[in-house]
Amino acid sequence: AQKITQTQPGMFVQEKEAVTLDCTYDTSDQSYGLFWYKQPSSGEMIFLIYQGSYDEQNATEGRYSLNFQKARKSANLVISASQLGDSAMYFCAMRPDLTGGGNKLTFGTGTQLKVEL
Amino acid sequence: SQTIHQWPATLVQPVGSPLSLECTVEGTSNPNLYWYRQAAGRGLQLLFYSVGIGQISSEVPQNLSASRPQDRQFILSSKKLLLSDSGFYLCAWSWHPPTEQFFGPGTRLTVL
């Protein structure tokens, strides 16, 4: 079974600073995918970034980058140059090795990020 | 482009009443479809997923059921709601074969 752990229930960051949101995972699969989603107060889940377990390069999408350390089983999200609009709940998720055509995501409990002036 | 719709946006229902939440996807065909529930202050729990019409997999035993009567329509139902069914219900879709999932706006259900 897969498990995602996000140990930071809440984080504060100053506007324009960088922030790292922690995520560790546990799986026995050799091939898996890691995702980060943002959930603003409106409730919608917004896909941010994806990292495959065999990807050698860390994923980047604009101001988001994923610090993937496979040996440590960590997949931390780094947000550079924080903006007020980044204030939201952030979820780390994992997709196990594909079997049966499904795509089951296991989510962590989330980190509430607040960006301050 | 693809869009995903959910309705209603909010719902307040008495205990013991039936439930029907609808999710539709536009702009793609034969998507994988998913229902999640998010309890207050918690992460998402996968309830059901579907890889095709009439094909439903249940992830957790519960008071809910799901159906997929059309390719891009996914329905979450209950015959008799419980207090514990309260939560935020999110529908999602992904390509087939699966990649990242894209979520709808959600339905906030309160059972009184």
Side-chain angles (χ1 to χ4, degrees), chain B residues 23-98:
Chain B
C23 169
T24 58
V25 180
E26 295 178 356
T28 186
S29 60
N30 194 29
N32 286 356
L33 295 171
Y34 312 84
W35 276 113
Y36 289 88
R37 176 170 59 204
Q38 184 178 28
R42 305 282 295 275
L44 274 69
Q45 179 186 37
L46 179 64
L47 302 176
F48 302 94
Y49 74 92
S50 171
V51 299
I53 296 174
Q55 300 178 62
I56 309 294
S57 295
S58 174
E59 287 299 297
V60 292
Q62 59 210 319
N63 185 40
L64 303 168
S65 62
S67 62
R68 186 171 176 173
Q70 300 179 43
D71 180 45
R72 290 169 291 176
Q73 184 184 31
F74 205 23
I75 297 172
L76 184 69
S77 303
S78 173
K79 292 183 179 178
K80 287 186 178 182
L81 283 168
L82 306 172
L83 287 173
S84 57
D85 291 325
S86 294
F88 189 54
Y89 289 83
L90 286 154
C91 181
W93 74 273
S94 70
W95 300 108
H96 185 80

Side-chain angles (χ1 to χ4, degrees), chain A residues 20-33:
Chain A
T20 298
L21 306 183
D22 294 340
C23 173
T24 58
Y25 59 91
D26 189 20
T27 181
S28 57
D29 292 333
Q30 295 301 309
S31 171
Y32 48 88

Side-chain angles (χ1 to χ4, degrees), chain A residues 70-88:
Chain A
K70 194 170 182 178
R72 293 186 175 184
K73 293 190 174 179
S74 75
N76 299 339
L77 177 70
V78 180
I79 305 175
S80 63
S82 297
Q83 302 171 358
L84 293 177
D86 293 334
S87 294

